[in-house]
Amino acid sequence: MGGEKKISVVIPVYNREKIVLRTLECISLQDTRDFNLILVDNNSQDNSFAVITSWAERNKDINCLICTEKTPGASAARNSGLRHVVTDYVMFFDSDDVMDYNHISSVINEINSHPNVDVIGWEGLQEQSNGKFKLARFTVTHPMRNHLIFGTLSTFRYAVKTELIRKVGGWNEKLRAWDDYELGVRILLAKPVMVKRKSKPKVKSFYSTVSLTANTFSGNVSLWEDPLNEIENLLAERYPQMLPWIDYRRAVLAAFYAMEEDDEEAQRLLSKTISDRRTSEWLIKIIYYWHLKVKTGAWLIASLFLPKE
């Protein structure tokens, strides 16, 4: 692939034959061709591979590589794509999301304006289960705190220096959910140089009922708790002052369990969080009950008492 280009876009694809063309068409409409595109079919059981191959044949002006990865999971597919990246920067995109026609060129402009930057971030729009979109934040202020609260380094919100993401170990293939949340912590622990693109959101992430993370929280608690455990271990070793924010996330997660009427799991996780004795029991319970009843804004209460960075 063209090593002279600035950036690669890696898109994993799994059983997306009916919707992947929406994502690929927004790629074909980009106002630049100064990028590499890497499509990774993750052993799809439908016609996804044929769909993306046919699209690539119709869009030969785009420098596109199609590869396959049999190991299941988006993280394995993204790591497979990462191994093929020959550009200085890479950004990951999902096969059910879309970008404006000038998204890639605006990222390249930021790279050219900040040649020493490690992470370029931007805000996007994220669809909720009710069909409404909310702003997905990105900030360079108190980056670890804000990532632990808002997941600012979620997949579609940044581009990263290829050397850096490889240095921190790439995607954690043991995780089946919140893998971008865990990766974001490892990137931030590397103390990257970060800039935020100042523009209206140019990317949209769509809610999908077939997505693993669209399922219930209490139906498979390890999906959500495993990443938090991994992050806890990372922070305990290298950033222990931020561990109370894991207590915050667990209290909120316990509230989600309770909202799904799984009181047993909710009380189990809440009791575990309290027993860790990092955060006052009264604060954990306030966060839990606030999110359970109000469903938003618990982070504002936590921010009054937990460390900024």
Side-chain angles (χ1 to χ4, degrees):
M1 299 188 73
E4 74 284 356
K5 298 186 186 300
K6 297 278 187 184
I7 193 166
S8 296
V9 182
V10 176
I11 303 177
V13 180
Y14 176 70
N15 290 351
R16 298 290 194 182
E17 64 174 354
K18 295 182 179 180
I19 59 175
V20 68
L21 280 179
R22 178 179 63 184
T23 298
L24 294 178
E25 288 306 314
C26 78
I27 299 292
S28 66
L29 293 174
Q30 293 300 299
D31 61 359
T32 181
R33 292 296 183 261
D34 191 22
F35 64 94
N36 291 337
L37 177 65
I38 302 173
L39 302 175
V40 186
D41 182 76
N42 195 199
N43 203 28
S44 295
Q45 302 304 300
D46 62 3
N47 291 319
S48 292
F49 186 80
V51 170
I52 63 177
T53 300
S54 175
W55 176 87
E57 290 174 351
R58 297 193 307 272
N59 292 272
K60 293 184 181 296
D61 60 325
I62 294 177
N63 196 15
C64 178
L65 171 68
I66 298 176
C67 55
T68 59
E69 175 55 52
K70 294 188 179 297
T71 302
S75 288
R78 292 178 184 126
N79 279 336
S80 179
L82 180 60
R83 287 191 287 271
H84 291 282
V85 171
V86 296
T87 54
D88 289 337
Y89 290 84
V90 59
M91 64 179 178
F92 296 87
F93 210 62
D94 285 339
S95 57
D96 54 357
D97 297 337
V98 299
M99 61 177 72
D100 285 356
Y101 74 96
N102 60 348
H103 176 55
I104 295 178
S105 62
S106 70
V107 176
I108 292 172
N109 288 338
E110 291 290 348
I111 293 172
N112 291 334
S113 299
H114 305 88
N116 296 318
V117 71
D118 296 309
V119 174
I120 299 161
W122 48 82
E123 294 180 335
L125 296 175
Q126 195 160 28
E127 187 181 25
Q128 307 302 291
S129 59
N130 60 8
K132 296 181 179 180
F133 286 88
K134 75 170 185 178
L135 183 67
R137 307 181 186 206
F138 182 89
T139 179
V140 296
T141 304
H142 306 305
M144 183 66 80
R145 185 202 73 153
N146 283 304
H147 176 65
L148 292 173
I149 298 173
F150 303 114
T152 50
L153 290 181
S154 61
T155 308
F156 73 116
R157 277 188 258 182
Y158 71 102
V160 61
K161 190 169 283 187
T162 307
E163 179 184 12
L164 174 60
I165 193 170
R166 286 174 174 159
K167 182 179 179 181
V168 302
W171 296 82
N172 187 338
E173 297 183 19
K174 295 186 298 181
L175 302 179
R176 295 180 294 146
W178 287 355
D179 47 350
D180 52 353
Y181 189 50
E182 187 268 349
L183 173 59
V185 170
R186 284 186 281 122
I187 289 174
L188 291 174
L189 285 172
K191 302 295 183 183
V193 177
M194 303 173 65
V195 298
K196 177 181 176 179
R197 185 184 65 194
K198 297 177 181 178
S199 69
K200 293 181 179 180
K202 296 180 181 292
V203 293
K204 283 185 178 180
S205 175
F206 288 93
Y207 178 85
S208 173
T209 56
V210 300
S211 170
L212 183 67
T213 52
N215 297 327
T216 62
F217 287 95
S218 59
N220 191 341
V221 298
S222 66
L223 284 179
W224 324 104
E225 295 183 30
D226 286 353
L228 293 181
N229 293 338
E230 292 277 340
I231 293 170
E232 180 178 47
N233 292 334
L234 289 167
L235 295 178
E237 180 180 351
R238 300 169 59 187
Y239 216 158
Q241 63 267 40
M242 299 306 291
L243 284 170
W245 284 105
I246 300 301
D247 298 336
Y248 159 82
R249 293 291 301 202
R250 285 182 174 141
V252 169
L253 183 57
F256 276 119
Y257 294 165
M259 284 189 280
E260 295 170 356
E261 300 184 353
D262 195 333
D263 292 333
E264 182 178 349
E265 289 291 0
Q267 291 305 313
R268 174 194 58 81
L269 184 56
L270 193 63
S271 296
K272 178 190 183 306
T273 307
I274 291 171
S275 67
D276 286 341
R277 297 184 180 279
R278 288 189 298 242
T279 304
S280 300
E281 179 177 351
W282 63 267
L283 180 56
I284 290 172
K285 288 185 175 180
I286 287 175
I287 293 167
Y288 170 79
Y289 284 110
W290 183 278
H291 194 81
L292 181 60
K293 300 300 182 181
V294 182
K295 300 181 177 59
T296 186
W299 68 272
L300 288 168
I301 297 171
S303 296
L304 295 174
F305 303 97
L306 300 185
K308 292 186 182 298
E309 203 75 1

